[in-house]
């Protein structure tokens, strides 16, 4: 059921060991570890856990593998203690996919459907009661009555709550021993057909056998790969089914076998992949509409009158210098950049912003329905409120106990006031870290200004012409590198603070950790785009009266406008981050696994009779070579940040949903391969949804509506163009001259040159009536845009119920059957 691994050094074989005092420190540390390990294993043995030990030699170290399994009596005790749900009655299959139903009604062949073997059954389930054992299905088969994931949960509960020292010093549980390097690994085994079934494994003996039989020979390619004799679908193990029908690249266009994922990895992992698949499917219409809007921008770019005026202006418009030592420049020089800006800044942008805002609302509302259906189908709809137990680490270290008002069971307790004080103290640390990020953003702003000045003074025409663009792109790359480095530091700090806050359940713990890190990542990833979108070029001043910050003149938008800069920033951060993440997810696990296998390739098994067998034949050694599963946080974070990029700033980059869709098609299979092929099997965890991530998605959706309204109003040229088209010339002839002001008289006399700059000011530098009229139009547009989109969103939320009617009927039906079963069987029932 579970494997513990540790390493010991062959001190007696090293005759040249340093005898100095500091040379004895490793020995003393090894002695302490050996003492802790002995106490811990003695406690496990006293708890009734059966053990079998194996050893292998690696260079100057001995690797110890301790195979653990729980006998029937221990399983029954902890299953009742943990309220594990076990089957009471089999049910007919009730799962269906809404898109499959729609395609069937339309008579269209469903290319996404696939027949997956070994489909898990549905059951009515009840919390396990030992005195009601005979009412449960399969109770006469002790070896298979509890599923492998339930056995893993029981073993992990025992390992996580077993003390090896003083609880006040946190000398409790296998997790602390792993942090102290007393054990190097603790994991459940992946399933394979070659593996002995539960109950028949030699590890059921409480002491190591005198002559352990050699482990069954496995394929060197790994148990998830198919052999020729295993091509018959009925003979596949669960892991092989997942590899063949889910993790394979050839299944990129097929439905995910979520029931299989849930059975093998647990509800928490299954909900992640369910949400990722749902999100990826919904990206398809957004990507199609965004691509159409982008293509429309291409046609508008070539027929745009202001673009043609700029390109044909030659020396008509001499523009004021962009810095103190910069030269005057001709507006016609930005012809290509201005035309490129029209790809992202046109009437279709407004439509697409409204579309994406409503898309996000619809996406979340329909995910609520899907979440409710899956939670009911997987029998975890009331898990967080009623069934979730305290975390093992919380149980071990809580200072007192209290009666749970819901369950009536005495549970460990940590005072809410003390937790609140710790949360407030942790918040101060988080604010300090966010302040560091803001300081770095300011540094990037200054970097851009300084680099632009240096390039403009270089004397090389290409550098002078592209100074602003080079500064922006290099600034984005530097910002991305900083983001990736600082994120590692902050995540470690957030882990420490969240543990210190002593949250009762795993769900509360993960929600608190997620909120901390997301706030930091949000500021880190979005600060630069927010600056470009809403602040850059807004507080510049005018010739002769430029505003400055820390002695450096405030940044202006590039000659092509801030919209094209924002699109560049989004593409560098969003696409660059996706490429880096995918390369890391594809290459790093493979390289790490290869290195582990390379180190252990020539390892021999230490048997009492001296036989030598390749340890690659042992399943526990093969699983030990795999990577440690570190949770779903990074997977969720990557997708939620992507969701923010395609909604908050979508007005500046209609192609963002397309890039997200292409990335996610790859992401689903990459993540599936990591879980099936590269990760050790995680302990299955229950969940009733995606947790706090849904609340974060809702907050991003509301922020996106406000952001797009301000983006169109203050950063885009859409409203000034509409204003000019309505009041002056519907063909937009003369629009370029309309947007350019003349330099004030004082500046002209000082420099003896007349120049133009983008603003609505007179030659005394005062704001004109046109500016104030446009400001009123912009504010009115923001209010109208927000109210219309929010109103439609609320109407959609009202029309789309959170729980499908079919699920509500099933819940009522099951409550009725639960009463019948309670009357006849004296057991309270649920469904799975």
């Amino acid at each position: 059921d579970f494997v513990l691994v540790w390493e010991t050094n062959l001190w007696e074989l090293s005759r040249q060991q340093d005898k100095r005092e500091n040379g004895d420190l490793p020995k003393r540390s090894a002695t302490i570890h050996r003492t802790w390990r002995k106490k811990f294993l003695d406690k496990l043995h006293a708890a009734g856990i059966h053990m079998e030990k194996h050893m292998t030699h690696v260079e100057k170290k001995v690797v110890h593998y301790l195979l653990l399994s729980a006998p029937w009596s221990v399983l029954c005790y902890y299953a009742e203690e943990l309220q594990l749900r076990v089957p009471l009655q089999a049910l007919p299959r009730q799962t269906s996919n809404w898109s499959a139903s729609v395609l069937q009604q339309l008579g269209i062949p469903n290319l996404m459907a696939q027949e997956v073997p070994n489909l898990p059954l549905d059951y009515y389930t009840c919390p396990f009661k030992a005195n009601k054992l005979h009412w449960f299905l399969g109770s006469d088969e002790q070896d298979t009555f509890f599923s492998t994931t339930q056995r893993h949960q029981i073993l992990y509960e025992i390992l996580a709550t077993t003390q090896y020292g003083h609880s006040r010093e946190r000398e409790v549980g296998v997790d602390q021993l792993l942090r102290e390097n007393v054990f190097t690994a603790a994991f459940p085994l992946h399933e394979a057909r070659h593996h002995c079934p539960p109950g028949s494994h030699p590890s059921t003996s409480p002491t190591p056998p005198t002559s352990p039989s050699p482990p069954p020979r496995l394929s060197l390619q790994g148990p998830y790969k198919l052999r020729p004799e295993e091509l018959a679908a009925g003979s596949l193990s669960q892991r092989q089914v997942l590899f063949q029908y889910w993790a394979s690249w050839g299944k990129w266009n097929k439905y995910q076998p979520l029931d299989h994922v849930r059975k093998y990895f647990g509800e928490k992992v299954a909900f992640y992949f369910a949400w990722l698949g749902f999100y990826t499917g919904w990206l398809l219409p957004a990507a199609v509409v965004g691509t159409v809007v982008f293509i429309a921008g291409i046609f508008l770019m070539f027929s745009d009158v202001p673009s043609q005026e700029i390109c044909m202006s030659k020396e008509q418009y001499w523009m004021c210098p962009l810095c103190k030592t910069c030269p005057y420049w001709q507006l016609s020089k930005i012809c290509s950049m201005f035309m490129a800006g029209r790809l992202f800044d046109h009437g279709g942008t407004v439509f697409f912003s409204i579309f994406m805002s409503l898309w996000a609302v619809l996406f979340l509302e329909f995910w609520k329905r899907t979440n409710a259906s899956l939670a009911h189908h997987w029998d975890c709809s009331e898990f967080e409120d009623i069934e979730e137990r305290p975390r093992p680490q919380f149980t071990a270290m809580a200072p007192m106990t209290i009666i749970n008002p819901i369950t009536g069971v005495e549970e460990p307790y940590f005072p809410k006031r003390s937790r609140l004080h710790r949360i407030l103290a942790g918040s101060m640390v988080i604010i300090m870290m966010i302040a560091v990020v803001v300081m770095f953003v300011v540094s990037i702003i200054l970097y851009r200004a300084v680099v632009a000045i240096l390039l403009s003074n270089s004397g090389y025409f290409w550098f002078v012409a592209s100074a602003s663009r080079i500064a922006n792109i290099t600034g984005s790359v530097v910002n991305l590198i900083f983001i990736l480095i600082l994120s590692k530091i902050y995540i470690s700090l957030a882990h420490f603070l969240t543990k210190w806050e002593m949250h009762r359940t795993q769900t509360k713990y993960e929600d608190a950790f997620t909120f901390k890190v997301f706030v930091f990542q949000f500021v880190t990833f979005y600060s630069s785009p927010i600056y470009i979108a809403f602040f850059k070029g807004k507080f510049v001043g005018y010739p002769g009266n430029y505003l400055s910050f820390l002695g450096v003149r405030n940044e202006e938008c590039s000659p092509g406008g801030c919209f094209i800069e924002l699109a560049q920033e989004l593409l560098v951060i969003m696409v660059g981050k996706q490429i880096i993440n995918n390369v890391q997810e594809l290459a790093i696990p493979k390289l790490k696994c290869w290195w582990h296998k390379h180190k252990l390739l020539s390892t021999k098994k230490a048997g009492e009779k001296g036989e030598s067998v390749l340890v690659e034949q042992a399943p526990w050694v093969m699983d030990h070579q795999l990577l440690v599963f570190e949770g779903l946080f990074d997977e969720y974070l990557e997708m939620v940040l992507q969701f923010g990029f395609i909604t908050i700033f979508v007005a500046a980059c209609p192609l963002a949903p397309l890039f997200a869709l292409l990335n996610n098609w790859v992401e689903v299979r990459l993540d599936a391969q990591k879980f099936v092929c590269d990760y050790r099997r995680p302990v299955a965890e229950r969940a009733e949804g995606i947790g706090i991530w849904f609340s974060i998605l809702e907050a991003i959706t509301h922020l996106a509506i406000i952001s797009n309204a301000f983006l169109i109003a203050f950063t885009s040229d859409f409203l000034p163009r509409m204003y000019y088209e309505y009041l002056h010339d519907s063909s937009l002839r003369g629009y370029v001259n309309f947007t350019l002001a003349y330099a004030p008289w004082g500046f002209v006399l000082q420099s003896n040159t007349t120049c133009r700059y983008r603003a609505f000011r007179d030659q005394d530098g005062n704001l004109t009536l046109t500016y104030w009229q446009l400001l009123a139009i912009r504010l009115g547009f923001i209010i109208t845009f927000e109210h219309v989109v929010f109103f439609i969103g609320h109407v959609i939320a009202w029309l789309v119920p959170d729980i499908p009617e079919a699920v509500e009927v099933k819940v009522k039906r099951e409550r009725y059957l639960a009463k019948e079963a309670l009357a006849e069987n004296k057991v309270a029932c649920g469904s799975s």
Side-chain angles (χ1 to χ4, degrees), residues 42 72 157 163 176 268 275 277 320 371 423 449 482 588 635 639 712 756 776:
D42 287 344
W72 174 251
E157 177 73 16
Q163 293 189 15
Q176 184 64 22
K268 182 169 288 187
W275 176 80
C320 297
N371 192 108
I423 291 174
F482 167 77
I588 292 179
E635 315 298 340
M639 291 297 103
I712 295 170
R756 310 290 293 272

Side-chain angles (χ1 to χ4, degrees), residues 310-311 313-314 329-337 461 465 559:
I310 289 177
C311 294
S313 62
K314 296 183 179 179
W329 54 283
Q330 298 174 17
L331 188 62
S332 58
K333 297 295 184 181
I334 67 163
C335 171
S336 58
M337 282 295 294
F461 174 76

Side-chain angles (χ1 to χ4, degrees), residues 156 587 727:
Y156 179 73
L727 290 182

Side-chain angles (χ1 to χ4, degrees), residues 622-697:
M622 295 184 69
D623 283 6
H624 184 219
Q625 296 169 359
L626 302 179
L627 304 180
V628 178
F629 171 68
E630 297 179 347
L632 292 166
F633 174 80
D634 289 336
E635 315 298 340
Y636 272 119
L637 179 64
E638 180 184 355
M639 291 297 103
V640 172
L641 287 174
Q642 180 197 88
F643 180 83
F645 280 121
I646 68 170
T647 53
I648 296 176
F649 305 106
V650 72
C653 191
L655 288 179
L658 176 62
F659 288 121
L661 176 64
L662 297 175
N663 173 80
N664 289 8
W665 269 335
V666 176
E667 184 74 24
V668 173
R669 303 305 152 189
L670 274 179
D671 287 347
Q673 284 200 349
K674 285 192 302 184
F675 275 87
V676 175
C677 309
D678 300 327
Y679 283 158
R680 296 171 189 162
R681 188 176 183 180
V683 178
E685 296 182 68
R686 300 193 72 201
E688 61 178 80
I690 62 175
I692 198 174
W693 291 111
F694 182 81
S695 301
I696 292 174
L697 290 170

